[in-house]
Amino acid sequence: MDILLVEDDPVIAAAVREGLEGEGYAVTLTSDGLSAVELGATGEFAAIVLDVMLPSLNGFAVCGRLRALGVGTPVLMLTARDGELDQAHGLDIGADDYLTKPFSLLVLTAHLRALIRRSAREAAGSGAQDVLRAGDLWLDPQARTCGRGGERIEVTGQEFAVLECLMREPGRVLSKETILGEAWDIAYRGSASIVEVYVSLLRRKIDQPYGTRSIVTVRGHGYRLDEARA
């Protein structure tokens, strides 16, 4: 997925770009508000990470111009400002989410994934196409149910969140930190090793009773969801 990163601080820009590319995103970087409008207006990006304090045109103006042009790309605004009025202004002009500096890359990528997922669901609309499948394993995000074939499998809310994270990107290796940022509340400050516990619990429910192995451990990297295999 292509991300437009608009940030004029070279240190922050380099760190964010490296972090996003490490998560598998392609990043186009610009440090100027006017060029951000020109690039964003193409509609070619899955999301825009937009700093507020920019030369030539600030982030608020960039977002406002893009929305006036009919560009619906999700916008995540970054700023050193933490006042409620600034946050409200950013959201009022069409930003989808807001992070204040300093922020962690874990939190940034979690917010970004949530924006992209929501945008994809809105574009696809509701209905059967929203059901995620890997072989005979299925998960319905709207009904909050999952199962194999015609059999429903009972899982807890946290188990469901971990499974949904894996099923939204089948075949891709997701680190424990990535899963943690996706499936846990943003306020969670515990160890990423909790992911191991829930993967183990899921395997006992969706794999072991069926003699299959769909959640694969990639040692040193994380977990990957494959179509179930014996």
Side-chain angles (χ1 to χ4, degrees):
M1 292 183 179
D2 293 336
I3 304 296
L4 175 59
L5 172 61
V6 189
E7 171 61 68
D8 67 326
D9 184 313
V11 175
I12 295 177
V16 172
R17 183 174 193 169
E18 182 179 1
L20 292 179
E21 289 178 341
E23 290 292 326
Y25 297 107
V27 179
T28 297
L29 173 64
T30 183
S31 60
D32 177 82
L34 289 174
S35 64
V37 173
E38 182 178 351
L39 288 166
T42 65
E44 296 177 353
F45 299 94
I48 300 171
V49 180
L50 176 63
D51 188 31
V52 168
M53 302 303 293
L54 296 169
S56 75
L57 202 64
N58 68 35
F60 294 133
V62 170
C63 186
R65 290 194 184 186
L66 289 175
R67 294 304 186 234
L69 291 170
V71 177
T73 306
V75 173
L76 173 61
M77 299 198 77
L78 307 176
T79 181
R81 302 179 181 183
D82 58 2
E84 290 185 353
L85 290 177
D86 287 327
Q87 296 181 32
H89 180 50
L91 296 172
D92 283 343
I93 61 174
D96 298 275
D97 202 357
Y98 198 106
L99 279 181
T100 56
K101 300 175 183 176
F103 53 84
S104 72
L105 286 172
L106 179 65
V107 171
L108 171 63
T109 54
H111 276 251
L112 194 56
R113 285 192 300 271
L115 284 181
I116 293 171
R117 281 201 317 273
R118 187 174 70 195
S119 177
R121 286 197 297 268
E122 290 173 352
S126 60
Q129 66 263 38
D130 288 336
V131 176
L132 307 176
R133 299 185 184 278
D136 67 343
L137 179 66
W138 56 268
L139 180 145
D140 187 334
Q142 293 187 358
R144 306 295 291 177
T145 56
C146 66
R148 281 199 180 278
E151 182 178 350
R152 180 170 167 176
I153 300 173
E154 296 296 332
V155 296
T156 67
Q158 195 60 59
E159 290 166 353
F160 187 94
V162 173
L163 182 59
E164 181 179 5
C165 176
L166 290 165
M167 290 192 70
R168 286 197 178 278
E169 300 190 72
R172 179 185 176 192
V173 178
L174 301 180
S175 68
K176 287 185 288 187
E177 291 75 17
T178 295
I179 297 171
L180 184 71
E182 180 85 12
W184 267 261
D185 186 276
I186 204 167
Y188 178 77
R189 292 293 181 268
S191 169
S193 62
I194 190 67
V195 174
E196 299 175 22
V197 175
Y198 279 89
V199 166
S200 178
L201 291 171
L202 275 173
R203 283 172 169 158
R204 295 175 192 172
K205 294 183 177 183
I206 69 170
D207 281 345
Q208 293 176 9
Y210 303 92
T212 60
R213 183 163 61 96
S214 54
I215 302 178
V216 178
T217 299
V218 181
R219 297 196 179 279
H221 297 281
Y223 301 98
R224 182 185 70 240
L225 187 103
D226 289 343
E227 290 194 3
R229 56 187 179 183

